[in-house]
mmCIF file of all heavy atoms in Angstrom:
data_model
loop_
_atom_site.group_PDB
_atom_site.id
_atom_site.type_symbol
_atom_site.label_atom_id
_atom_site.label_comp_id
_atom_site.label_asym_id
_atom_site.label_seq_id
_atom_site.Cartn_x
_atom_site.Cartn_y
_atom_site.Cartn_z
ATOM 1 N N GLY A 57 -116.806 -106.557 -1.761
ATOM 2 C CA GLY A 57 -116.119 -106.889 -2.998
ATOM 3 C C GLY A 57 -115.212 -108.083 -2.765
ATOM 4 O O GLY A 57 -114.843 -108.372 -1.622
ATOM 5 N N LEU A 58 -114.902 -108.793 -3.847
ATOM 6 C CA LEU A 58 -113.991 -109.932 -3.740
ATOM 7 C C LEU A 58 -113.251 -110.072 -5.075
ATOM 8 O O LEU A 58 -113.861 -109.982 -6.139
ATOM 9 C CB LEU A 58 -114.790 -111.208 -3.433
ATOM 10 C CG LEU A 58 -113.996 -112.470 -3.078
ATOM 11 C CD1 LEU A 58 -113.280 -112.334 -1.733
ATOM 12 C CD2 LEU A 58 -114.917 -113.702 -3.036
ATOM 13 N N ALA A 59 -111.947 -110.260 -4.993
ATOM 14 C CA ALA A 59 -111.136 -110.406 -6.203
ATOM 15 C C ALA A 59 -110.643 -111.858 -6.296
ATOM 16 O O ALA A 59 -110.400 -112.500 -5.270
ATOM 17 C CB ALA A 59 -109.943 -109.449 -6.139
ATOM 18 N N GLN A 62 -108.085 -113.672 -4.109
ATOM 19 C CA GLN A 62 -108.494 -113.969 -2.723
ATOM 20 C C GLN A 62 -109.067 -115.361 -2.560
ATOM 21 O O GLN A 62 -109.147 -115.873 -1.447
ATOM 22 C CB GLN A 62 -109.526 -112.938 -2.233
ATOM 23 C CG GLN A 62 -108.960 -111.530 -2.103
ATOM 24 C CD GLN A 62 -110.025 -110.573 -1.594
ATOM 25 O OE1 GLN A 62 -110.808 -110.038 -2.344
ATOM 26 N NE2 GLN A 62 -110.056 -110.367 -0.291
ATOM 27 N N GLU A 98 -110.961 -98.660 5.362
ATOM 28 C CA GLU A 98 -111.093 -99.914 4.623
ATOM 29 C C GLU A 98 -110.705 -101.098 5.495
ATOM 30 O O GLU A 98 -109.949 -100.968 6.451
ATOM 31 C CB GLU A 98 -110.164 -99.917 3.384
ATOM 32 C CG GLU A 98 -110.565 -98.873 2.379
ATOM 33 C CD GLU A 98 -109.765 -98.930 1.084
ATOM 34 O OE1 GLU A 98 -109.093 -99.944 0.805
ATOM 35 O OE2 GLU A 98 -109.817 -97.927 0.352
ATOM 36 N N GLY A 99 -111.259 -102.231 5.095
ATOM 37 C CA GLY A 99 -110.857 -103.500 5.667
ATOM 38 C C GLY A 99 -110.778 -104.469 4.504
ATOM 39 O O GLY A 99 -110.993 -104.087 3.355
ATOM 40 N N CYS A 100 -110.458 -105.736 4.775
ATOM 41 C CA CYS A 100 -110.319 -106.688 3.680
ATOM 42 C C CYS A 100 -110.600 -108.085 4.215
ATOM 43 O O CYS A 100 -110.122 -108.443 5.301
ATOM 44 C CB CYS A 100 -108.895 -106.616 3.132
ATOM 45 S SG CYS A 100 -108.577 -107.739 1.769
ATOM 46 N N LEU A 101 -111.357 -108.865 3.454
ATOM 47 C CA LEU A 101 -111.676 -110.226 3.892
ATOM 48 C C LEU A 101 -110.414 -111.077 4.037
ATOM 49 O O LEU A 101 -110.413 -112.063 4.772
ATOM 50 C CB LEU A 101 -112.645 -110.895 2.905
ATOM 51 C CG LEU A 101 -114.049 -110.271 2.807
ATOM 52 C CD1 LEU A 101 -114.849 -110.942 1.701
ATOM 53 C CD2 LEU A 101 -114.790 -110.367 4.141
ATOM 54 N N SER A 102 -109.334 -110.696 3.357
ATOM 55 C CA SER A 102 -108.085 -111.451 3.447
ATOM 56 C C SER A 102 -107.200 -111.003 4.608
ATOM 57 O O SER A 102 -106.146 -111.604 4.847
ATOM 58 C CB SER A 102 -107.302 -111.337 2.135
ATOM 59 O OG SER A 102 -108.008 -111.994 1.105
ATOM 60 N N ILE A 103 -107.629 -109.930 5.295
ATOM 61 C CA ILE A 103 -106.862 -109.450 6.448
ATOM 62 C C ILE A 103 -107.870 -109.187 7.577
ATOM 63 O O ILE A 103 -108.137 -108.053 7.937
ATOM 64 C CB ILE A 103 -106.065 -108.166 6.093
ATOM 65 C CG1 ILE A 103 -105.357 -108.328 4.734
ATOM 66 C CG2 ILE A 103 -105.029 -107.855 7.176
ATOM 67 C CD1 ILE A 103 -104.762 -107.047 4.191
ATOM 68 N N HIS A 142 -109.823 -100.716 -4.507
ATOM 69 C CA HIS A 142 -109.301 -101.732 -3.577
ATOM 70 C C HIS A 142 -109.208 -103.094 -4.284
ATOM 71 O O HIS A 142 -108.192 -103.792 -4.186
ATOM 72 C CB HIS A 142 -110.227 -101.797 -2.351
ATOM 73 C CG HIS A 142 -109.908 -102.876 -1.357
ATOM 74 N ND1 HIS A 142 -109.538 -102.602 -0.054
ATOM 75 C CD2 HIS A 142 -109.932 -104.230 -1.449
ATOM 76 C CE1 HIS A 142 -109.331 -103.748 0.584
ATOM 77 N NE2 HIS A 142 -109.569 -104.755 -0.237
ATOM 78 N N GLU A 143 -110.270 -103.452 -5.013
ATOM 79 C CA GLU A 143 -110.302 -104.768 -5.668
ATOM 80 C C GLU A 143 -109.310 -104.848 -6.832
ATOM 81 O O GLU A 143 -108.662 -105.883 -7.023
ATOM 82 C CB GLU A 143 -111.717 -105.111 -6.143
ATOM 83 C CG GLU A 143 -112.780 -105.187 -5.046
ATOM 84 C CD GLU A 143 -112.412 -106.073 -3.868
ATOM 85 O OE1 GLU A 143 -111.657 -107.041 -4.038
ATOM 86 O OE2 GLU A 143 -112.874 -105.774 -2.743
ATOM 87 N N HIS A 146 -105.967 -105.677 -5.684
ATOM 88 C CA HIS A 146 -105.768 -107.115 -5.450
ATOM 89 C C HIS A 146 -105.242 -107.805 -6.712
ATOM 90 O O HIS A 146 -104.442 -108.740 -6.623
ATOM 91 C CB HIS A 146 -107.096 -107.787 -5.051
ATOM 92 C CG HIS A 146 -107.399 -107.738 -3.585
ATOM 93 N ND1 HIS A 146 -106.596 -108.322 -2.639
ATOM 94 C CD2 HIS A 146 -108.446 -107.201 -2.904
ATOM 95 C CE1 HIS A 146 -107.141 -108.128 -1.428
ATOM 96 N NE2 HIS A 146 -108.250 -107.449 -1.562
ATOM 97 N N ILE A 150 -101.506 -105.971 -4.676
ATOM 98 C CA ILE A 150 -101.398 -104.902 -3.673
ATOM 99 C C ILE A 150 -102.515 -105.044 -2.638
ATOM 100 O O ILE A 150 -103.668 -105.278 -2.993
ATOM 101 C CB ILE A 150 -101.501 -103.518 -4.371
ATOM 102 C CG1 ILE A 150 -100.353 -103.351 -5.368
ATOM 103 C CG2 ILE A 150 -101.501 -102.381 -3.340
ATOM 104 C CD1 ILE A 150 -100.561 -102.213 -6.365
ATOM 105 N N LEU A 151 -102.161 -104.928 -1.370
ATOM 106 C CA LEU A 151 -103.154 -105.005 -0.294
ATOM 107 C C LEU A 151 -103.320 -103.622 0.342
ATOM 108 O O LEU A 151 -102.399 -102.812 0.318
ATOM 109 C CB LEU A 151 -102.713 -106.022 0.763
ATOM 110 C CG LEU A 151 -102.542 -107.459 0.257
ATOM 111 C CD1 LEU A 151 -101.968 -108.353 1.354
ATOM 112 C CD2 LEU A 151 -103.865 -108.028 -0.254
ATOM 113 N N PHE A 152 -104.502 -103.379 0.918
ATOM 114 C CA PHE A 152 -104.762 -102.031 1.443
ATOM 115 C C PHE A 152 -103.784 -101.632 2.547
ATOM 116 O O PHE A 152 -103.478 -100.452 2.710
ATOM 117 C CB PHE A 152 -106.234 -101.891 1.902
ATOM 118 C CG PHE A 152 -106.507 -102.331 3.306
ATOM 119 C CD1 PHE A 152 -106.541 -101.411 4.351
ATOM 120 C CD2 PHE A 152 -106.737 -103.666 3.605
ATOM 121 C CE1 PHE A 152 -106.781 -101.811 5.661
ATOM 122 C CE2 PHE A 152 -106.983 -104.079 4.913
ATOM 123 C CZ PHE A 152 -107.002 -103.156 5.936
HETATM 124 CO CO1 LIG B 216 -109.532 -106.835 -0.042
#
Side-chain angles (χ1 to χ4, degrees):
L58 189 68
Q62 294 181 275
E98 295 186 16
C100 180
L101 295 174
S102 293
I103 315 170
H142 175 117
E143 299 309 331
H146 273 299
I150 299 164
L151 299 174
F152 86 96

